[in-house]
Each structure stands twice: as structure tokens, then as C-alpha cells.
Amino acid sequence: MKSNDNIAYAASIVPSERQLAWQDLEFYAFIHFGMNTFTNVEWGTGNEDPELFNPTALDARQWAKLIKLSGMRAMILTCKHHDGFCLWPSAYTDHSVKYSPWKEGKGDVVKECADACREYGLKFGVYLSPWDRHDPRYGDSEAYNRFYKNQLTELLTNYGDVFCVWLDGACGEGKNGKKQEYDWEGYYALIRKLQPDACICVTGPDVRWVGNEAGICRSSEWSVVPYWHSQHAVIEAKSQNNVTKPPRKFSPQDVDLGSRKAIKGCNNLIWYPAEVNTSLRKGWFYHESEDYSLKSLSKLTEIYYNSVGANGSFLLNLSPNKEGKICDRDVEAMLSLGAQLEIDFNENLAEDSVVTDNRHLDEAHCGQMALSGDPEEYWHSGDNPDGSELVLDLGDDYDIDKIVLAEHIRTGQQIEKFSVYLMLEGKWKKVSEGTVIGHKRICRFKEQRVQFIKVVIEQARCFATISKFEAY
Ligand code: FUL
């Protein structure tokens, strides 16, 4: 394949409807809660007595309300973590809430969460650990696969709409451990059948795990990458295999996944956008000893800007305690983050502005369309994108320290290099530059008083689009 053909091919890859819907969620919560909350560990052995699970004041509505107030749009619950203990009364195991003293075995945490999400207008997603250290069928591949599919079926039929099934690649069995041959394709087919709108995340075809658990993102987070990044063995190899060593960095060969260089010669490219996951606390589950380990507000906002603001999504974990509540200091941290984001994006000063361009495909795709507010209306460069410019006229001087740009990703990811200029004392001054725009790019710079802002598309694949141009 000639390299130019390859670029046109990359430019032709588009997201599915379910990926588009997922991308719009941008910021959402993980909830790690389960047996580990009561045994004070990160990975249980699977031998824990269900008697130990007994939250005294479980309040899924408190979790959902906090998620909402923090500016997040969904919750993903660890319905079963590696220890195999199920937060719903599964008919296929005796290792669940049904055999615990909580609500005399009549409780169902999954139901309480799904209901609370509906009440607060959040989407609900499920985490069902493929690795199961409790179930005796684990390692007896066919029997376990049947069991796992039965559990998926329960979760995907009894709790309403599910926006995501999060399949963890982690496994700590080691050399002499049990070897389970997962029926990934069978799991995927079942998920598609039962919840066709749900994204299959991490060990799955729809959403790519960024590759570490520390909130570190690439500066260029491409959505179109070679297909092998979605292969189970590749994901498994990068995932956690030791409880004390969560993955915290990228390997050098993992820094660039989608540039022209990275996709050169690859004739199987996929739309596979990144999700950045990390925890508010040091660990995923609640441990009193980590009450002082919370990420600072500046760290959290930095991760937000580098993920949501750099063509990814941000999955931030919360850890309810033994009572079944998110404790005060965590609540405070999340409310501060929510308030900060409200302040940062309080008023889009570009709303009633004028945008001019130096080229466009046709009148229906002129620069002004970038301000329409309708994600399906957008500026389109035509087929000569390099060097195209959009100039935003705010109508008056305003103090600005960031702009938000978006491509119309339904027509693919096209832009490869762009710069942002401000008109200061009669001259254009470059204040930001980057590669990927994709679903959203937030460009931050030192606050300046300006009327005119210019975006130059220096390089794009087949054409360029901008469907959002905001200033704050
Ligand atoms: C990892 C797991 O091993 C951790 O316990 C946690 O669930 C995290 C989200 O994924 O791979």
C-alpha cells in the first residue's frame, strides 16, 4: 500500500453510533466497592466469607448525586471484582450479596446503583471481572465461559440500559496459576445481542485503555490506530499482573499509536478512542490508611484537561467505605472539582461571534457553522485543507485563557497539526499548537485581552472540519 493511500484510508475510518454516544459522556465515574472494602485489600483471594460483606448505611443515591454534582455523566460499578464476590444475587454462584448479612441477603447493589443513576440522569455501566479467583470453574475454560456468559446475561437483562461493559485485562495468576481461555468473541457477541448500544471497553473493540492507571495521557491521542491495539493478548500484556505494581507509565514504543508514521503500511485500522482511568485515592477500593492520599484539585483538573481536553475520556474512580458511603473528604474533593469545571467553562464568549475562513467546501460548511451549536453543522475545508484558517471575531475585547475546538468526528479524524493565534497589538501571536483535535481539544494559554482568535490547520488528512469553536 502506498503511504498516501494509507492516509486516505485512515481518514475514512469513522466511529460507530455507540462510540459517538460514549465520546459525548467525556467524564464519568468508576465505583470500586465490594468484598475488598471490608477486607481492606485491593485484590481479594476469593476465599472471603460472604458474612464479611455488611455495609451499615449503603446509599447508592449519595454516590449518584455526587457524581452528578461533580460534572460526570455516568457510573460504572464493579459488579464483580477479581475475588468473584457478586454485588447482585446471581443465580449462578453462592458467592454474592445473597449469602451476606446485608439486608438479610435480600439486597442488590447493582439494582440500587442502576436505579440511582436513572434518578440522577446518569448512564450506568458494569464492570464484570473476567478473572475470578473464587469460582471453581475458573480454568475449566468451557464451564467458566458458560458461567461468565450467564452472569453477563443477568447484568445485561435485569438492570435496564447499560452504556458500557468494562472488561478488565488484569490477571495475577502467574506461571503456575490456572489458565483460563476466555471466549472473548462469545462475550462480545452476547453483549451486542443484549445491549447493542453498549460500548465494550478496555479488553474489547470499542474503547481503548490509555495504558496506565496514573492518569497519564499521550499528547497526541489518536482515535484511528492499527487494529492490533484491540487484541486481547496485547491488552493483557500491558494490564496489571501484580497487585502491588499498577501500570504507571507508557513504554517508549507505546507513545505514538496513530501518527502517519505509526500507521504506515497498516491495512487494518480501527476507530479506537482512548479512555483515561485513575482513582481519586491511591488505591481503587476504600482503605482508611489512604484517607490522606487524595489527588489534589490541580492534579485532577490537569488530568481532565489532558484527557477530555485532548480527545480522550476521563474515568475517575470513587471508593465508598464500609458504611457504603463516600466519605466527607472525598465528597469535598469531588465537589471542588465540579465547581472548578463550572467556573472554567462558565460562559462561552464565542457564542454570538462571527467566524470567517479562507476556504470552505460550500456555503453550508462555511466558518460560521463552527458556532452553530449543532454538532451536525460544521465548517469543512474542502479537499485542500493544509493552510486553512478560521478567524473568530468576539466583537469586543475579552479576557480569554482557553479555546475549545472539535472536529466533526462522524466524518473521521482528519486534523494532524494546528496552531492558535491571538491578535495582540495588531499582530498575530501564536499561543498554542497541537496535533490531534478529534472529539475535543482544549487549548490553554496565559490569559490575554483579545477580540480576534485565529486557528490555522497546518496539516490534515483528506479535509478538515471544525464543529465547535468556543472561547473562555
Ligand atoms: C485493574 C485491576 O486489577 C484493579 O484492581 C482495578 O479494578 C483497575 C480498574 O483495573 O486492572
Side-chain angles (χ1 to χ4, degrees):
M1 190 176 271
K2 282 192 277 149
S3 68
N4 271 352
D5 295 347
N6 196 250
I7 291 160
Y9 168 49
S12 73
I13 308 288
V14 293
S16 63
E17 287 300 321
R18 65 175 79 83
Q19 286 172 316
L20 283 167
W22 161 83
Q23 190 98 58
D24 281 340
L25 293 176
E26 298 188 345
F27 182 30
Y28 43 95
F30 232 157
I31 294 279
H32 272 66
F33 180 72
M35 187 53 88
N36 295 343
T37 312
F38 297 86
T39 52
N40 200 23
V41 296
E42 279 292 310
W43 281 5
T45 60
N47 298 325
E48 296 80 11
D49 188 338
E51 284 288 320
L52 295 169
F53 183 88
N54 198 10
T56 47
L58 189 134
D59 187 359
R61 296 178 68 246
Q62 184 230 9
W63 310 350
K65 186 172 175 193
L66 180 64
I67 290 169
K68 185 79 179 178
L69 291 174
S70 312
M72 298 192 259
R73 299 187 180 129
M75 173 203 288
I76 303 174
L77 174 70
T78 52
C79 301
K80 172 179 95 165
H81 202 253
H82 310 327
D83 54 74
F85 183 78
C86 299
L87 293 184
W88 79 102
S90 172
Y92 300 96
T93 179
D94 55 5
H95 204 52
S96 81
V97 284
K98 195 170 163 185
Y99 300 88
S100 78
W102 179 59
K103 296 196 168 174
E104 295 169 345
K106 301 215 165 43
D108 183 342
V109 185
V110 179
K111 179 163 189 321
E112 294 200 17
C113 285
D115 288 350
C117 282
R118 260 189 294 277
E119 181 180 340
Y120 285 95
L122 302 169
K123 303 254 185 207
F124 179 61
V126 297
Y127 167 113
L128 183 68
S129 171
W131 181 32
D132 187 323
R133 303 181 90 177
H134 173 82
D135 200 83
R137 287 161 282 200
Y138 186 84
D140 176 352
S141 294
E142 268 186 41
Y144 181 77
N145 283 330
R146 258 197 311 279
F147 162 69
Y148 189 82
K149 285 184 214 167
N150 283 334
Q151 293 207 314
L152 270 177
T153 304
E154 290 182 314
L155 291 176
L156 302 183
T157 43
N158 298 336
Y159 300 96
D161 288 345
V162 162
F163 85 99
C164 130
V165 179
W166 212 93
L167 299 178
D168 202 323
C171 182
E173 284 297 330
K175 263 197 206 140
N176 304 318
K178 289 184 187 163
K179 184 75 196 140
Q180 167 69 30
E181 298 293 341
Y182 299 109
D183 177 16
W184 294 112
E185 296 307 324
Y187 304 167
Y188 300 164
L190 183 64
I191 297 167
R192 291 289 194 241
K193 186 174 126 205
L194 299 175
Q195 295 274 348
D197 297 334
C199 276
I200 309 174
C201 302
V202 182
T203 315
D206 300 319
V207 172
R208 170 168 57 85
W209 177 47
V210 77
N212 66 79
E213 295 178 351
I216 301 167
C217 330
R218 296 170 183 82
S219 55
S220 302
E221 215 41 274
W222 302 93
S223 297
V224 177
V225 300
Y227 80 99
W228 43 263
H229 291 294
S230 70
Q231 298 303 287
H232 323 124
V234 174
I235 299 159
E236 210 175 290
K238 289 185 205 167
S239 297
Q240 191 167 2
N241 56 24
N242 177 328
V243 67
T244 58
K245 280 201 196 124
R248 299 230 169 256
K249 290 193 222 146
F250 295 120
S251 59
Q253 66 273 24
D254 214 18
V255 173
D256 174 13
L257 306 187
S259 71
R260 287 189 185 203
K261 194 168 154 224
I263 60 172
K264 197 170 172 200
C266 179
N267 55 14
N268 195 350
L269 297 170
I270 53 170
W271 188 274
Y272 202 34
E275 177 186 78
V276 175
N277 69 321
T278 195
S279 187
L280 175 61
R281 293 174 156 249
K282 181 164 180 278
W284 297 97
F285 287 90
Y286 180 82
H287 311 291
E288 199 182 339
S289 63
E290 293 180 356
D291 275 354
Y292 294 91
S293 73
L294 272 61
K295 290 190 175 56
S296 65
L297 178 60
S298 66
K299 180 79 192 162
L300 293 169
T301 45
E302 178 196 318
I303 299 174
Y304 179 90
Y305 278 103
N306 291 336
S307 54
V308 176
N311 192 37
S313 66
F314 184 13
L315 170 57
L316 179 61
N317 181 65
L318 305 174
S319 321
N321 61 17
K322 275 190 194 183
E323 273 183 83
K325 287 218 168 114
I326 297 172
C327 66
D328 290 351
R329 66 178 65 243
D330 301 43
V331 169
E332 232 171 81
M334 292 309 298
L335 292 180
S336 310
L337 176 59
Q340 185 65 55
L341 295 175
E342 281 275 337
I343 293 167
D344 287 3
F345 298 99
N346 178 37
E347 191 188 358
N348 171 18
L349 296 165
E351 237 169 39
D352 302 314
S353 305
V354 172
V355 175
T356 49
D357 61 48
N358 64 348
R359 71 195 68 162
H360 47 250
L361 175 69
D362 52 30
E363 278 314 307
H365 295 92
C366 66
Q368 191 64 29
M369 299 316 277
L371 300 193
S372 95
D374 176 343
E376 289 314 318
E377 294 186 334
Y378 54 96
W379 164 78
H380 186 302
S381 65
D383 59 9
N384 181 21
D386 296 2
S388 44
E389 297 183 1
L390 292 180
V391 176
L392 179 76
D393 175 359
L394 294 169
D396 206 344
D397 283 345
Y398 290 98
D399 293 325
I400 304 284
D401 68 359
K402 57 189 147 332
I403 64 160
V404 177
L405 299 170
E407 281 181 77
H408 181 252
I409 54 172
R410 197 184 275 281
T411 47
Q413 180 170 28
Q414 308 290 339
I415 296 170
E416 295 181 314
K417 194 163 184 269
F418 71 97
S419 296
V420 180
Y421 296 80
L422 304 182
M423 177 67 85
L424 296 169
E425 293 166 1
K427 284 198 191 119
W428 286 119
K429 184 173 177 246
K430 193 195 265 201
V431 288
S432 181
E433 60 186 4
T435 52
V436 169
I437 293 182
H439 170 260
K440 187 180 263 191
R441 166 66 74 169
I442 307 173
C443 306
R444 288 186 293 172
F445 37 83
K446 189 170 142 253
E447 186 174 290
Q448 304 273 9
R449 211 165 169 73
V450 288
Q451 179 173 348
F452 297 99
I453 304 169
K454 178 167 77 170
V455 173
V456 179
I457 309 299
E458 275 131 10
Q459 190 179 299
R461 290 187 171 163
C462 288
F463 52 87
T465 63
I466 293 288
S467 65
K468 189 180 278 175
F469 193 161
E470 297 173 349
Y472 297 92

